[in-house]
Amino acid sequence: MKKLVVATGNAHKLDEYRALLPGIQLASMSEFPPMEPVEEDAPDFIGNAILKALAVHSHTGLAALADDSGLEVEALNQRPGVFSARYAAGTDRDRYLKLLGEMENQPNRLARFACAIAIAGLPEKNSDDSIIYRDGCWVSVGYCYGQITEEPNGTNGFGYDPIFSVNDGRTMAQLTAAEKHAISHRGQATKPIINVLRSLMGVYSGSI
Ligand code: IMP
């Protein structure tokens, strides 16, 4: 069975893809010799996902799925956006505490998580799939809309999950993994690529 390598060093993302792509055999970057970090200098999530997918496909020889994601906050002119991982040095907690600081006394708390997925190393085919083929990659984007909380809550998930609340007022970090996947930016971006994986890898047998 062909493997799809997930182009990330983030164990949380890999776990999420294992749940979101049942039936696809996923490989992790730890199964390959180390590679130079990819310079993520594109202006948007799609561009960075494409850069990572192409680099990892060429390094491993396998079809490669890369995810570039982040948090866009309306009152901060969509920051931190593509800089979400580099918004502050240190840990995820350091980054979300900095964001809460910037949002102090800010009444507009609207925000969204964005996720762009690019898959390199699969053929382009003529199809009516709902996703696009660009620069040698299948590309899909998903969003999850919510609000920035006043304080962190919850211990599940990762990244900015403890300060991002969804419809029922719970933060993403208070949801179960299955609840997060049903509404998350990553879950939304994954749905349209399942058909592509099913037909081009010929191995998909799960459901979502
Ligand atoms: P990337 O690894 O360059 O895509 O950076 C993603 C940034 O957005 C990191 O700071 C992550 O912690 C954050 N991020 C991405 N996806 C999620 C998520 O599902 N929940 C919370 N934070 C996320």
PDB file of all heavy atoms in Angstrom, residues 143-169:
ATOM      1  N   TYR A 143     -11.825  26.728   6.850  1.00  0.00           N
ATOM      2  CA  TYR A 143     -11.868  27.759   7.897  1.00  0.00           C
ATOM      3  C   TYR A 143     -12.758  27.293   9.046  1.00  0.00           C
ATOM      4  O   TYR A 143     -13.684  26.504   8.848  1.00  0.00           O
ATOM      5  CB  TYR A 143     -12.455  29.065   7.346  1.00  0.00           C
ATOM      6  CG  TYR A 143     -11.611  29.695   6.260  1.00  0.00           C
ATOM      7  CD1 TYR A 143     -11.943  29.528   4.908  1.00  0.00           C
ATOM      8  CD2 TYR A 143     -10.487  30.444   6.576  1.00  0.00           C
ATOM      9  CE1 TYR A 143     -11.167  30.086   3.907  1.00  0.00           C
ATOM     10  CE2 TYR A 143      -9.703  31.008   5.580  1.00  0.00           C
ATOM     11  CZ  TYR A 143     -10.047  30.825   4.252  1.00  0.00           C
ATOM     12  OH  TYR A 143      -9.279  31.383   3.258  1.00  0.00           O
ATOM     13  N   CYS A 144     -12.491  27.839  10.232  1.00  0.00           N
ATOM     14  CA  CYS A 144     -13.371  27.637  11.378  1.00  0.00           C
ATOM     15  C   CYS A 144     -13.529  28.992  12.060  1.00  0.00           C
ATOM     16  O   CYS A 144     -12.538  29.613  12.448  1.00  0.00           O
ATOM     17  CB  CYS A 144     -12.760  26.614  12.336  1.00  0.00           C
ATOM     18  SG  CYS A 144     -13.758  26.369  13.812  1.00  0.00           S
ATOM     19  N   TYR A 145     -14.784  29.441  12.178  1.00  0.00           N
ATOM     20  CA  TYR A 145     -15.053  30.784  12.716  1.00  0.00           C
ATOM     21  C   TYR A 145     -15.381  30.728  14.202  1.00  0.00           C
ATOM     22  O   TYR A 145     -16.047  29.803  14.664  1.00  0.00           O
ATOM     23  CB  TYR A 145     -16.217  31.424  11.938  1.00  0.00           C
ATOM     24  CG  TYR A 145     -15.815  31.749  10.514  1.00  0.00           C
ATOM     25  CD1 TYR A 145     -15.848  30.761   9.514  1.00  0.00           C
ATOM     26  CD2 TYR A 145     -15.360  33.009  10.173  1.00  0.00           C
ATOM     27  CE1 TYR A 145     -15.449  31.041   8.218  1.00  0.00           C
ATOM     28  CE2 TYR A 145     -14.961  33.296   8.869  1.00  0.00           C
ATOM     29  CZ  TYR A 145     -15.001  32.310   7.903  1.00  0.00           C
ATOM     30  OH  TYR A 145     -14.594  32.590   6.628  1.00  0.00           O
ATOM     31  N   GLY A 146     -14.912  31.721  14.952  1.00  0.00           N
ATOM     32  CA  GLY A 146     -15.173  31.743  16.388  1.00  0.00           C
ATOM     33  C   GLY A 146     -14.780  33.073  16.980  1.00  0.00           C
ATOM     34  O   GLY A 146     -14.744  34.096  16.283  1.00  0.00           O
ATOM     35  N   GLN A 147     -14.466  33.053  18.266  1.00  0.00           N
ATOM     36  CA  GLN A 147     -14.151  34.290  18.996  1.00  0.00           C
ATOM     37  C   GLN A 147     -12.937  34.060  19.878  1.00  0.00           C
ATOM     38  O   GLN A 147     -12.727  32.946  20.372  1.00  0.00           O
ATOM     39  CB  GLN A 147     -15.304  34.633  19.936  1.00  0.00           C
ATOM     40  CG  GLN A 147     -16.648  34.639  19.289  1.00  0.00           C
ATOM     41  CD  GLN A 147     -17.332  35.999  19.451  1.00  0.00           C
ATOM     42  OE1 GLN A 147     -16.713  36.970  19.860  1.00  0.00           O
ATOM     43  NE2 GLN A 147     -18.593  36.053  19.111  1.00  0.00           N
ATOM     44  N   ILE A 148     -12.188  35.127  20.106  1.00  0.00           N
ATOM     45  CA  ILE A 148     -11.083  35.060  21.071  1.00  0.00           C
ATOM     46  C   ILE A 148     -11.665  35.271  22.474  1.00  0.00           C
ATOM     47  O   ILE A 148     -12.390  36.240  22.706  1.00  0.00           O
ATOM     48  CB  ILE A 148     -10.012  36.144  20.776  1.00  0.00           C
ATOM     49  CG1 ILE A 148      -9.467  35.982  19.353  1.00  0.00           C
ATOM     50  CG2 ILE A 148      -8.881  36.074  21.801  1.00  0.00           C
ATOM     51  CD1 ILE A 148      -8.807  34.655  19.048  1.00  0.00           C
ATOM     52  N   THR A 149     -11.357  34.338  23.376  1.00  0.00           N
ATOM     53  CA  THR A 149     -11.891  34.417  24.741  1.00  0.00           C
ATOM     54  C   THR A 149     -11.131  35.490  25.535  1.00  0.00           C
ATOM     55  O   THR A 149     -10.122  36.033  25.071  1.00  0.00           O
ATOM     56  CB  THR A 149     -11.716  33.061  25.452  1.00  0.00           C
ATOM     57  OG1 THR A 149     -10.330  32.699  25.384  1.00  0.00           O
ATOM     58  CG2 THR A 149     -12.559  31.981  24.799  1.00  0.00           C
ATOM     59  N   GLU A 150     -11.618  35.755  26.755  1.00  0.00           N
ATOM     60  CA  GLU A 150     -10.913  36.700  27.643  1.00  0.00           C
ATOM     61  C   GLU A 150      -9.764  36.001  28.358  1.00  0.00           C
ATOM     62  O   GLU A 150      -8.776  36.622  28.731  1.00  0.00           O
ATOM     63  CB  GLU A 150     -11.873  37.261  28.702  1.00  0.00           C
ATOM     64  CG  GLU A 150     -13.095  37.975  28.141  1.00  0.00           C
ATOM     65  CD  GLU A 150     -12.792  39.386  27.639  1.00  0.00           C
ATOM     66  OE1 GLU A 150     -11.708  39.912  27.935  1.00  0.00           O
ATOM     67  OE2 GLU A 150     -13.654  39.933  26.913  1.00  0.00           O
ATOM     68  N   GLU A 151      -9.948  34.688  28.564  1.00  0.00           N
ATOM     69  CA  GLU A 151      -8.884  33.930  29.249  1.00  0.00           C
ATOM     70  C   GLU A 151      -8.829  32.504  28.708  1.00  0.00           C
ATOM     71  O   GLU A 151      -9.805  32.033  28.119  1.00  0.00           O
ATOM     72  CB  GLU A 151      -9.122  33.907  30.752  1.00  0.00           C
ATOM     73  CG  GLU A 151     -10.489  33.422  31.126  1.00  0.00           C
ATOM     74  CD  GLU A 151     -10.781  33.689  32.604  1.00  0.00           C
ATOM     75  OE1 GLU A 151     -10.390  34.775  33.075  1.00  0.00           O
ATOM     76  OE2 GLU A 151     -11.359  32.810  33.238  1.00  0.00           O
ATOM     77  N   PRO A 152      -7.684  31.830  28.890  1.00  0.00           N
ATOM     78  CA  PRO A 152      -7.571  30.470  28.354  1.00  0.00           C
ATOM     79  C   PRO A 152      -8.437  29.474  29.115  1.00  0.00           C
ATOM     80  O   PRO A 152      -8.663  29.637  30.302  1.00  0.00           O
ATOM     81  CB  PRO A 152      -6.083  30.127  28.562  1.00  0.00           C
ATOM     82  CG  PRO A 152      -5.525  31.168  29.460  1.00  0.00           C
ATOM     83  CD  PRO A 152      -6.468  32.318  29.528  1.00  0.00           C
ATOM     84  N   ASN A 153      -8.894  28.463  28.407  1.00  0.00           N
ATOM     85  CA  ASN A 153      -9.686  27.390  29.003  1.00  0.00           C
ATOM     86  C   ASN A 153      -9.467  26.089  28.267  1.00  0.00           C
ATOM     87  O   ASN A 153      -9.463  26.086  27.034  1.00  0.00           O
ATOM     88  CB  ASN A 153     -11.183  27.729  28.897  1.00  0.00           C
ATOM     89  CG  ASN A 153     -11.720  28.205  30.218  1.00  0.00           C
ATOM     90  OD1 ASN A 153     -11.493  27.556  31.246  1.00  0.00           O
ATOM     91  ND2 ASN A 153     -12.386  29.345  30.199  1.00  0.00           N
ATOM     92  N   GLY A 154      -9.317  24.987  29.012  1.00  0.00           N
ATOM     93  CA  GLY A 154      -9.231  23.667  28.392  1.00  0.00           C
ATOM     94  C   GLY A 154      -7.802  23.218  28.167  1.00  0.00           C
ATOM     95  O   GLY A 154      -6.870  24.038  28.106  1.00  0.00           O
ATOM     96  N   THR A 155      -7.651  21.907  28.060  1.00  0.00           N
ATOM     97  CA  THR A 155      -6.301  21.331  27.937  1.00  0.00           C
ATOM     98  C   THR A 155      -6.156  20.418  26.719  1.00  0.00           C
ATOM     99  O   THR A 155      -5.095  19.838  26.506  1.00  0.00           O
ATOM    100  CB  THR A 155      -5.955  20.496  29.196  1.00  0.00           C
ATOM    101  OG1 THR A 155      -7.011  19.558  29.407  1.00  0.00           O
ATOM    102  CG2 THR A 155      -5.818  21.376  30.423  1.00  0.00           C
ATOM    103  N   ASN A 156      -7.216  20.256  25.937  1.00  0.00           N
ATOM    104  CA  ASN A 156      -7.086  19.407  24.736  1.00  0.00           C
ATOM    105  C   ASN A 156      -6.489  20.221  23.590  1.00  0.00           C
ATOM    106  O   ASN A 156      -6.335  21.427  23.682  1.00  0.00           O
ATOM    107  CB  ASN A 156      -8.454  18.863  24.311  1.00  0.00           C
ATOM    108  CG  ASN A 156      -9.059  17.982  25.384  1.00  0.00           C
ATOM    109  OD1 ASN A 156      -8.322  17.396  26.179  1.00  0.00           O
ATOM    110  ND2 ASN A 156     -10.379  17.896  25.418  1.00  0.00           N
ATOM    111  N   GLY A 157      -6.186  19.524  22.491  1.00  0.00           N
ATOM    112  CA  GLY A 157      -5.719  20.216  21.299  1.00  0.00           C
ATOM    113  C   GLY A 157      -4.320  20.786  21.467  1.00  0.00           C
ATOM    114  O   GLY A 157      -3.501  20.271  22.229  1.00  0.00           O
ATOM    115  N   PHE A 158      -4.056  21.894  20.787  1.00  0.00           N
ATOM    116  CA  PHE A 158      -2.722  22.495  20.819  1.00  0.00           C
ATOM    117  C   PHE A 158      -2.825  23.949  20.353  1.00  0.00           C
ATOM    118  O   PHE A 158      -3.907  24.442  20.035  1.00  0.00           O
ATOM    119  CB  PHE A 158      -1.740  21.704  19.944  1.00  0.00           C
ATOM    120  CG  PHE A 158      -2.022  21.777  18.457  1.00  0.00           C
ATOM    121  CD1 PHE A 158      -1.289  22.635  17.634  1.00  0.00           C
ATOM    122  CD2 PHE A 158      -3.004  21.013  17.876  1.00  0.00           C
ATOM    123  CE1 PHE A 158      -1.536  22.709  16.262  1.00  0.00           C
ATOM    124  CE2 PHE A 158      -3.271  21.086  16.513  1.00  0.00           C
ATOM    125  CZ  PHE A 158      -2.535  21.932  15.705  1.00  0.00           C
ATOM    126  N   GLY A 159      -1.679  24.604  20.304  1.00  0.00           N
ATOM    127  CA  GLY A 159      -1.612  25.949  19.743  1.00  0.00           C
ATOM    128  C   GLY A 159      -2.553  26.932  20.438  1.00  0.00           C
ATOM    129  O   GLY A 159      -2.559  27.053  21.666  1.00  0.00           O
ATOM    130  N   TYR A 160      -3.331  27.623  19.635  1.00  0.00           N
ATOM    131  CA  TYR A 160      -4.226  28.666  20.137  1.00  0.00           C
ATOM    132  C   TYR A 160      -5.584  28.110  20.584  1.00  0.00           C
ATOM    133  O   TYR A 160      -6.486  28.888  20.922  1.00  0.00           O
ATOM    134  CB  TYR A 160      -4.436  29.734  19.046  1.00  0.00           C
ATOM    135  CG  TYR A 160      -3.172  30.482  18.667  1.00  0.00           C
ATOM    136  CD1 TYR A 160      -2.324  30.010  17.657  1.00  0.00           C
ATOM    137  CD2 TYR A 160      -2.806  31.660  19.322  1.00  0.00           C
ATOM    138  CE1 TYR A 160      -1.160  30.685  17.308  1.00  0.00           C
ATOM    139  CE2 TYR A 160      -1.644  32.352  18.984  1.00  0.00           C
ATOM    140  CZ  TYR A 160      -0.836  31.855  17.970  1.00  0.00           C
ATOM    141  OH  TYR A 160       0.327  32.529  17.629  1.00  0.00           O
ATOM    142  N   ASP A 161      -5.749  26.789  20.608  1.00  0.00           N
ATOM    143  CA  ASP A 161      -7.048  26.194  20.963  1.00  0.00           C
ATOM    144  C   ASP A 161      -7.622  26.720  22.281  1.00  0.00           C
ATOM    145  O   ASP A 161      -8.828  26.962  22.367  1.00  0.00           O
ATOM    146  CB  ASP A 161      -6.942  24.658  21.020  1.00  0.00           C
ATOM    147  CG  ASP A 161      -6.956  24.025  19.633  1.00  0.00           C
ATOM    148  OD1 ASP A 161      -7.344  24.708  18.669  1.00  0.00           O
ATOM    149  OD2 ASP A 161      -6.582  22.837  19.519  1.00  0.00           O
ATOM    150  N   PRO A 162      -6.806  26.941  23.357  1.00  0.00           N
ATOM    151  CA  PRO A 162      -7.400  27.355  24.637  1.00  0.00           C
ATOM    152  C   PRO A 162      -8.019  28.748  24.632  1.00  0.00           C
ATOM    153  O   PRO A 162      -8.753  29.096  25.551  1.00  0.00           O
ATOM    154  CB  PRO A 162      -6.201  27.307  25.615  1.00  0.00           C
ATOM    155  CG  PRO A 162      -5.210  26.398  24.974  1.00  0.00           C
ATOM    156  CD  PRO A 162      -5.377  26.609  23.498  1.00  0.00           C
ATOM    157  N   ILE A 163      -7.748  29.563  23.603  1.00  0.00           N
ATOM    158  CA  ILE A 163      -8.313  30.928  23.624  1.00  0.00           C
ATOM    159  C   ILE A 163      -9.279  31.167  22.461  1.00  0.00           C
ATOM    160  O   ILE A 163      -9.641  32.306  22.173  1.00  0.00           O
ATOM    161  CB  ILE A 163      -7.204  32.008  23.603  1.00  0.00           C
ATOM    162  CG1 ILE A 163      -6.372  31.935  22.311  1.00  0.00           C
ATOM    163  CG2 ILE A 163      -6.321  31.892  24.829  1.00  0.00           C
ATOM    164  CD1 ILE A 163      -5.683  33.244  21.967  1.00  0.00           C
ATOM    165  N   PHE A 164      -9.690  30.087  21.802  1.00  0.00           N
ATOM    166  CA  PHE A 164     -10.587  30.221  20.640  1.00  0.00           C
ATOM    167  C   PHE A 164     -11.899  29.517  20.969  1.00  0.00           C
ATOM    168  O   PHE A 164     -11.922  28.301  21.140  1.00  0.00           O
ATOM    169  CB  PHE A 164      -9.927  29.580  19.417  1.00  0.00           C
ATOM    170  CG  PHE A 164     -10.698  29.731  18.137  1.00  0.00           C
ATOM    171  CD1 PHE A 164     -10.484  30.826  17.307  1.00  0.00           C
ATOM    172  CD2 PHE A 164     -11.627  28.771  17.747  1.00  0.00           C
ATOM    173  CE1 PHE A 164     -11.187  30.965  16.112  1.00  0.00           C
ATOM    174  CE2 PHE A 164     -12.337  28.902  16.557  1.00  0.00           C
ATOM    175  CZ  PHE A 164     -12.108  29.999  15.739  1.00  0.00           C
ATOM    176  N   SER A 165     -12.982  30.314  21.088  1.00  0.00           N
ATOM    177  CA  SER A 165     -14.249  29.676  21.439  1.00  0.00           C
ATOM    178  C   SER A 165     -15.132  29.513  20.214  1.00  0.00           C
ATOM    179  O   SER A 165     -15.091  30.322  19.280  1.00  0.00           O
ATOM    180  CB  SER A 165     -14.979  30.448  22.533  1.00  0.00           C
ATOM    181  OG  SER A 165     -15.435  31.680  22.031  1.00  0.00           O
ATOM    182  N   VAL A 166     -15.899  28.445  20.234  1.00  0.00           N
ATOM    183  CA  VAL A 166     -16.774  28.116  19.117  1.00  0.00           C
ATOM    184  C   VAL A 166     -18.220  28.375  19.541  1.00  0.00           C
ATOM    185  O   VAL A 166     -18.473  28.911  20.628  1.00  0.00           O
ATOM    186  CB  VAL A 166     -16.535  26.659  18.657  1.00  0.00           C
ATOM    187  CG1 VAL A 166     -15.149  26.540  18.037  1.00  0.00           C
ATOM    188  CG2 VAL A 166     -16.680  25.670  19.806  1.00  0.00           C
ATOM    189  N   ASN A 167     -19.165  27.985  18.705  1.00  0.00           N
ATOM    190  CA  ASN A 167     -20.581  28.312  18.901  1.00  0.00           C
ATOM    191  C   ASN A 167     -21.123  28.179  20.310  1.00  0.00           C
ATOM    192  O   ASN A 167     -21.815  29.062  20.792  1.00  0.00           O
ATOM    193  CB  ASN A 167     -21.424  27.393  18.008  1.00  0.00           C
ATOM    194  CG  ASN A 167     -21.542  27.982  16.634  1.00  0.00           C
ATOM    195  OD1 ASN A 167     -21.234  29.159  16.463  1.00  0.00           O
ATOM    196  ND2 ASN A 167     -21.950  27.184  15.676  1.00  0.00           N
ATOM    197  N   ASP A 168     -20.846  27.058  20.964  1.00  0.00           N
ATOM    198  CA  ASP A 168     -21.487  26.816  22.265  1.00  0.00           C
ATOM    199  C   ASP A 168     -20.705  27.440  23.424  1.00  0.00           C
ATOM    200  O   ASP A 168     -21.007  27.194  24.580  1.00  0.00           O
ATOM    201  CB  ASP A 168     -21.685  25.315  22.491  1.00  0.00           C
ATOM    202  CG  ASP A 168     -20.370  24.549  22.607  1.00  0.00           C
ATOM    203  OD1 ASP A 168     -19.287  25.187  22.576  1.00  0.00           O
ATOM    204  OD2 ASP A 168     -20.421  23.321  22.730  1.00  0.00           O
ATOM    205  N   GLY A 169     -19.699  28.247  23.118  1.00  0.00           N
ATOM    206  CA  GLY A 169     -18.973  28.957  24.175  1.00  0.00           C
ATOM    207  C   GLY A 169     -17.764  28.199  24.696  1.00  0.00           C
ATOM    208  O   GLY A 169     -16.914  28.780  25.364  1.00  0.00           O
TER     209      GLY A 169
END
